[in-house]
Amino acid sequence: MAQKKKASQPSSKTLPKAPTGIQGLDEITGGGLPRGRPTLVSGGAGSGKTLFGLEFLVRGATQYSEPGVFMSFEESIPDLTKNVASLGFDLDRLVADKKLFVDHVSITRSQFGETGEYDLEGLFIRIADAVQRVGAQRVVLDTIEALFGYLPNPGILRAEIRRLFNWLKQKGLTTVITTERDQPDGLTRHGIEEFVSDCVILLDHRIREEISTRRLRIVKYRGSTHGTNEYPFLIDNQGISVLPISSLGLDHDAPAERVSSGIARLDGMMGGKGFYRGSSILASGTAGTGKTTIAACFVDAACRRGERCLFFAFEESPRQIVRNVRSIGIDLEPWVRKGLLQFHAARPTYGGIEQVLLLTHKRITSFQPSIVVVDPVTNLLMVSTQNEVRSMLTRLVDFLKTRGVTAIFTSLTAAGSMEASEADVSSLMDTWLLLKNIEVGGERNRALYVLKSRGMEHSNQIREFVLTDDGLRLLDVYLGPEGVLTGSARMSQEMREKAVVTFRRQELESRRRELERKRRIFEARMVMLRAEFEVEEEVIQQTISESELLGKEVVQDRGQMVLSRQADSSSYKKKDVSARAARKR
């Protein structure tokens, strides 16, 4: 029991941390910023330093009941209030509720000239007063360059910076100090702050190939492990969101339930039951092979089961998709009207890879779908590198699996590299449907096969499929001397097989008719023979009867003749008895 109690309690050696409430940041820091210690947030202009500090205070006050003090050395209080109002942060209300104290300290070069030697004593008094007013546990100083920028003496500068950080630490205040980064290879302008800080976070806002992207990296965190990668983050109308890959462990469930693909014969190629629920499916192929149609069939089947579907389209508009799949008998519009299907259509170039990822997360979180379609993932390569797209999709796949969402991703492949996804995400997928065009006899026909499907038996056959007015239809496999027959070659093979079957059926029917004819002839002959027999029998019987009758009449006539001559009747009788006894013997 003692051991269990000891295991359930947090170790006294664990560094206390103050959660930031910033989505994703607490995961990569292992719980937040070091409590009671200063954290340096470095970045260039427009990287989000001030917003980082304000969100740290607002979420601390609203979510963790930790009041805070924001001391600005550049922006005025009205400007700050207006700037963050668009993010849903009501600074005036927090100030009125004594959860936040906002102060603006203006420092100009003339003040240095008038006061002579610079001293932070007045600033300490001002901060201490503000902390006391609201009982603050968190403090943000924005930015340190405005505070020390006019100090000409490097020695005094170093001493005052160290003094400021030590004072904040002694007061036990969890502090965020923002600093400007004016050199790509440096974190701060003076090169001192990062050494006296317990935690250093670097915010980077870069432009690559005309696409804006933001990255966050934890450069240093004393006394604690932390994520060391460069993480994309986004600033939107709900503040900062960091999407770490390291936070998503592979501990999601693996449901045994199966869901139909919407194509009965495709289900048959996977044991007759379709995909695993919560799995990830890749449908890859060259242009025009039917990738979006496969996804539409899957969505239609899910909506018929009453499940919600979310369709991310990076290439076509929702109306275009609905119109195109309607031509093959799939009508998605009723599902849209019923609220079972939502489209989000936009080109990835509108905001960069991290914005796409964050938007995807938010849409999934708010709509709670059972099925998600991303069509196509290869369009993400327009805004980022292959490695970044793969990292983004890894995050997305893990996110979907933790929620039990079944997802189908389409991917465009180049001709000649069929068994390789251009986004290099095939290893992330549980099932891979490969679609291809087969050229035979001057025709191009569509074919499909299941390249892999983890955890289930699946067909190894290449199946031709056609798009009909009644949807996508998988056809039987026809093999010829040159391999799988498709299109006209398949139809010709079908006709030949039908001709053979028809000939055999006709031959069989002919034999049956011949047999029946012979049977009837036999029966007719039997009838005729029986009739002849009966006629002859009747004649013979009549002859026999006449002979017997004649014999009797002869005997009678002889007896009468004997009587009429009055001969010895006894001898006659004796002879008559002897004659009858002889006949009996």
Side-chain angles (χ1 to χ4, degrees), residues 319-490:
R319 293 186 186 88
Q320 193 176 359
I321 294 173
V322 171
R323 182 202 63 188
N324 294 345
V325 298
R326 186 182 289 139
S327 65
I328 58 170
I330 300 174
D331 193 359
L332 298 179
E333 194 165 357
W335 310 129
V336 176
R337 288 199 299 268
K338 288 183 179 180
L340 290 174
L341 174 61
Q342 279 191 4
F343 281 96
H344 172 74
R347 296 196 183 278
T349 49
Y350 76 93
I353 191 74
E354 67 277 356
Q355 190 163 348
V356 173
L357 178 59
L358 184 62
L359 184 62
T360 313
H361 278 227
K362 287 188 174 181
R363 289 276 183 155
I364 293 169
T365 304
S366 61
F367 187 58
Q368 299 288 330
S370 299
I371 306 294
V372 165
V373 175
V374 181
D375 177 45
V377 295
T378 35
N379 269 29
L380 297 173
L381 293 172
M382 298 169 61
V383 297
S384 192
T385 64
Q386 188 181 61
N387 287 337
E388 290 178 342
V389 169
R390 192 177 193 283
S391 297
M392 177 265 189
L393 291 175
T394 302
R395 293 180 175 95
L396 181 57
V397 168
D398 288 343
F399 176 70
L400 292 170
K401 285 192 173 184
T402 55
R403 290 175 167 267
V405 177
T406 310
I408 182 166
F409 301 83
T410 68
S411 176
L412 178 67
T413 56
S417 59
M418 298 298 295
E419 295 189 4
S421 167
E422 293 206 353
D424 195 22
V425 295
S426 56
S427 62
L428 302 175
M429 303 298 164
D430 299 307
T431 300
W432 186 358
L433 305 179
L434 190 55
L435 288 74
K436 59 190 300 185
N437 286 318
I438 298 178
E439 296 185 10
V440 177
E443 292 181 349
R444 297 185 69 185
N445 298 289
R446 298 182 178 92
L448 173 151
Y449 64 95
V450 182
L451 192 61
K452 76 169 185 180
S453 193
R454 291 171 177 158
M456 67 175 77
E457 294 182 0
H458 56 275
S459 171
N460 61 352
Q461 294 186 341
I462 299 176
R463 304 289 296 275
E464 182 186 2
F465 69 93
V466 293
L467 303 180
T468 69
D469 293 340
D470 299 325
L472 190 150
R473 189 160 61 90
L474 282 175
L475 305 177
D476 292 326
V477 178
Y478 281 87
L479 293 176
E482 298 178 354
V484 177
L485 301 180
T486 61
S488 299
R490 173 185 49 78

Side-chain angles (χ1 to χ4, degrees), residues 540-556 583:
I540 293 171
Q541 287 293 343
Q542 187 176 359
T543 304
I544 295 173
S545 298
E546 288 176 355
S547 299
E548 290 179 348
L549 181 60
L550 182 59
K552 288 180 180 177
E553 288 177 350
V554 170
V555 174
Q556 288 178 357
R583 285 200 299 272

